[in-house]
Amino acid sequence: MRDKIKKIYRDMSLLMGFTMSFFLSIVGTATSGHFSIPGWIMSFVVSLIISLIIGFVIPVGKVAGDVSKSFNLIRGTMKARLVESLVSNLIYTPIITFLMVTLAYSVAMKQSNGMAGLEFGPMFFHSLAVTFIVGYILVFFLQPFFIKRLMKKYGVEGEYGSK
């Protein structure tokens, strides 16, 4: 059983990392005002690598579950999902957004020889606000969707109602 749970956590990290990176890199490059396919691909790949590292270093599902338990919430309920989505989003989104904005800022400044007229702070906080909202919505809906499928795949019954 423990082995199945580890596989679920691993697969969940992969699915959420891929999905979040895909959508948030689209949102990030689209809201930058300079969307390009090469820019989006670079953003997606870097974001995916970062999210996979985070997902394999930090046991996000366990942390989110522990926070829910500390509030005496039952996993799978609406209140627990709201809290767990927030915890997951708080772990991933600020780190990824900071690194992605730093990358975009550096590229823009290098290409313009420092004349881009950009300020890092406003660029970062605008991006963080947008990606945090989008990320929260994605996590809220996708986590239970993925976890149900993974629990069914590995034959595990639990809070999310599989089998």
Side-chain angles (χ1 to χ4, degrees), residues 78-99:
M78 183 61 72
K79 286 181 183 179
R81 284 184 54 211
L82 289 166
V83 169
E84 291 171 12
S85 297
L86 180 63
V87 170
S88 181
N89 204 28
L90 282 169
I91 292 169
Y92 280 99
T93 304
I95 296 167
I96 293 171
T97 301
F98 178 78
L99 294 172

Side-chain angles (χ1 to χ4, degrees), residues 107-121:
V107 168
M109 294 306 275
K110 185 175 183 177
Q111 288 177 347
S112 70
N113 292 320
M115 304 301 287
L118 298 173
E119 291 183 45
F120 182 82

